[in-house]
Amino acid sequence: MSTTTPRNQIQFGVFFQGVNSTTIWTEPESGSQTAFESFRRIAQTAERGLFSAFFLGEGLRLREHLGQVHDLDVVGRPDAQTQLAALAAITERIGLVATQNTTYNDPVDLAHRLQSLDLLSGGRAAWNVVTTDNAWTGANFRRGGYLDHADRYTHAERVVETVRAVWDSWDDDVVASGPDAASWSHRSGVHVVERDLGHYAVRAEGRLPRSAQGHPVLFQAGDSDEGRDFATRAADVIFSAHPEFEDAKAFAADIRRRTLAAGRPEDDVKIFPGQQFVLADTDAEAEEKARWVAEHQITPATAIAYLENIWGTSLQTYDPDGPLPDIDPVVEVTGSTRGSGFQFQKSQELATQWRALSEAEGLSIRQLVTRVGVRRGGIVGGYSSVADRLADYADAGAVHGFNVSPWLVPSGLDDIVDRLVPLLQDRGVYRTEYRGDTLREHLGLRGPLTRRAAA
């Protein structure tokens, strides 16, 4: 009797960005970025499509542009854990991922809030660990820069270690197993956590038992060498910026190597690159649709503002349908107020590269920004051909899934769930039901790292 080996599967998460430059907000069907209805519809659509997780970005300060609030961005990020707690009540299986900063959160308070979400959701919570060190964000917390840039991952790792220690501070059998017990919990089963984080010390006790999944799942999105090393030492999932096929395979090989070097099984860290999808019945129709999407994402005003991030000065006198500016950028290294995508880039080098590309292909400012910005990394095609491409990703082990960034809110997942998911299921590369009740089960993760050590 012959047997067939099951194919690797692709999973989806959805990334509700809030502050961003890619969501189209000027169309009649565009919804609010802060209204609960938008969050509800996307989360429930994603769950209907058996998505693994609903992922919220974090904004600790309104983004600025040339010293002013950037009014071209879609702006709006309610507190992640507040929003996810509300969504936990109207969903049953989908994971709930909160982006939370290690620099400006107290680790004991953060541990309690994340554990609360994990318990209340039945083991569906996750923490996307991010680091911030700039004085621009720190000004909202009266802390200035607070951390040297080189220290951000060192501090983040100490925070993660402390948070996990708080989650582990209750023994497994601390809570009464039945009404005949002498007390609801026994005091000897709750342990004090003491840590020196360098900038401050912690002495605390956890206030809650663990959830069904042991710990909230840890996501991490750093792409530098130190970020990748941090992820492979501490995270369960890495949210990558490498969605293109060959690049994704190289990235996966590097992560597997680093994971082994960290003393973990090579498949211990799941890889979910961010991705935009533009789908239609045929490839030709999808290409036409993608042109429409790009034109509405990159308006003339947006194109000029995008270049101003690099040039560091007003370019309002330049025609967005004309050539790139003939002046040089006014700063060598861009500032942190321009958004994380431009921090620490050499603006002169980037301007030179873009001029060369623009001259070689006859691109206007708006065409160039469309090329280097929004369209980069998007999957465009007919439903059937895209399903075939994603099956190739699965077979090659290039990714474990994609974190989808909808270009329209709140209807941006409808075509993926209604048309693409069934084709992936037909090809055997997408689940037909959730694996269990917890996010850790959906993702196929082993137990929490510290719980493995204890076992």
Side-chain angles (χ1 to χ4, degrees):
M1 177 178 177
S2 63
T3 58
T4 5
T5 304
R7 299 177 79 174
N8 292 331
Q9 293 197 334
I10 289 289
Q11 299 188 42
F12 286 136
V14 56
F15 181 31
F16 196 113
Q17 296 185 73
V19 178
N20 74 96
S21 58
T22 59
T23 303
I24 297 172
W25 58 271
T26 53
E27 290 300 294
E29 63 266 39
S30 300
S32 167
Q33 293 283 315
T34 56
F36 183 70
E37 174 59 19
S38 296
F39 293 89
R40 179 204 65 77
R41 180 170 171 186
I42 286 185
Q44 291 185 334
T45 300
E47 187 168 67
R48 179 167 59 84
L50 305 177
F51 278 43
S52 295
F54 178 91
F55 192 113
L56 282 179
E58 177 185 63
L60 297 181
R61 180 166 176 158
L62 287 177
R63 185 145 54 196
E64 294 180 7
H65 177 70
L66 300 182
Q68 302 295 322
V69 171
H70 191 16
D71 55 4
L72 294 176
D73 271 5
V74 177
V75 176
R77 283 179 174 172
D79 174 70
Q81 291 189 58
T82 303
Q83 187 65 265
L84 293 175
L87 292 175
I90 60 165
T91 56
E92 296 180 356
R93 298 290 187 87
I94 193 167
L96 305 165
V97 189
T99 301
Q100 300 285 269
N101 196 283
T102 56
T103 306
Y104 302 112
N105 276 295
D106 175 86
V108 178
D109 175 63
L110 179 60
H112 183 67
R113 287 186 285 115
L114 287 167
Q115 197 169 11
S116 297
L117 178 62
D118 205 28
L119 279 168
L120 294 173
S121 65
R124 295 189 283 139
W127 171 22
N128 178 39
V129 182
V130 295
T131 65
T132 299
D133 54 40
N134 63 69
W136 172 62
T137 301
N140 267 10
F141 297 86
R142 304 185 193 179
R143 295 182 183 176
Y146 190 59
L147 289 174
D148 290 335
H149 185 68
D151 290 341
R152 70 196 191 285
Y153 281 117
T154 301
H155 182 71
E157 201 147 7
R158 289 170 179 163
V159 170
V160 169
E161 179 189 343
T162 303
V163 168
R164 280 182 160 146
V166 173
W167 290 339
D168 284 333
S169 64
W170 284 44
D171 291 343
D172 289 330
D173 60 351
V174 67
V175 177
S177 58
D180 295 333
S183 61
W184 182 79
S185 65
H186 57 87
R187 184 66 192 149
S188 62
V190 179
H191 307 284
V192 175
V193 174
E194 294 187 88
R195 291 289 187 279
D196 183 355
L197 282 79
H199 300 277
Y200 53 87
V202 165
R203 188 179 190 280
E205 296 175 355
R207 289 174 277 168
L208 293 170
R210 281 182 290 277
S211 78
Q213 68 173 349
H215 286 179
V217 172
L218 261 62
F219 284 67
Q220 208 274 328
D223 196 35
S224 64
D225 280 340
E226 59 185 343
R228 294 185 189 195
D229 283 340
F230 173 57
T232 52
R233 286 194 304 269
D236 300 301
V237 184
I238 187 165
F239 179 22
S240 90
H242 300 273
E244 297 300 325
F245 188 70
E246 293 301 328
D247 192 23
K249 287 200 299 183
F251 180 80
D254 182 58
I255 292 301
R256 285 193 290 267
R257 178 184 62 79
R258 293 174 192 260
T259 304
L260 281 171
R264 301 171 63 181
E266 69 171 8
D267 64 344
D268 219 30
V269 178
K270 307 303 181 184
I271 302 170
F272 275 68
Q275 187 62 284
Q276 172 182 280
F277 287 80
V278 181
L279 306 170
D281 287 328
T282 67
D283 289 347
E285 290 173 334
E287 287 293 340
E288 181 60 32
K289 185 176 179 181
R291 283 189 285 273
W292 181 91
V293 170
E295 287 172 0
H296 286 74
Q297 289 173 319
I298 301 296
T299 65
T302 302
I304 293 296
Y306 193 94
L307 278 201
E308 287 175 337
N309 282 317
I310 300 301
W311 263 258
T313 189
S314 173
L315 301 175
Q316 295 300 310
T317 59
Y318 286 84
D319 180 1
D321 294 316
L324 266 64
D326 52 3
I327 60 173
D328 287 333
V330 298
V331 289
E332 183 179 353
V333 179
T334 62
S336 59
T337 62
R338 298 177 190 174
S340 60
F342 301 105
Q343 288 181 38
F344 314 114
Q345 298 264 24
K346 294 182 179 178
S347 55
Q348 182 62 61
E349 178 183 330
L350 206 52
T352 301
Q353 292 173 1
W354 287 358
R355 278 201 194 105
L357 176 61
S358 176
E359 291 170 6
E361 301 190 18
L363 302 177
S364 67
I365 289 175
R366 191 176 180 188
Q367 290 169 329
L368 182 280
V369 171
T370 300
R371 170 75 63 83
V372 302
V374 171
R375 287 292 301 278
R376 181 177 55 201
I379 288 183
V380 177
Y383 295 107
S384 183
S385 62
V386 167
D388 288 338
R389 288 169 64 186
L390 295 185
D392 289 340
Y393 275 89
D395 291 339
V399 301
H400 295 94
F402 290 101
N403 223 13
V404 181
S405 294
W407 45 266
L408 193 62
V409 169
S411 61
L413 296 183
D414 292 358
D415 55 356
I416 295 176
V417 170
D418 295 334
R419 301 288 302 276
L420 180 60
V421 163
L423 295 178
L424 294 172
Q425 291 170 330
D426 290 343
R427 287 159 175 77
V429 295
Y430 195 88
R431 64 164 66 102
T432 55
E433 60 182 0
Y434 281 112
R435 293 188 182 190
D437 297 319
T438 71
L439 177 56
R440 197 170 291 277
E441 289 174 301
H442 304 339
L443 295 170
L445 295 170
R446 298 175 177 87
L449 286 172
T450 54
R451 303 307 300 159
R452 293 185 225 170

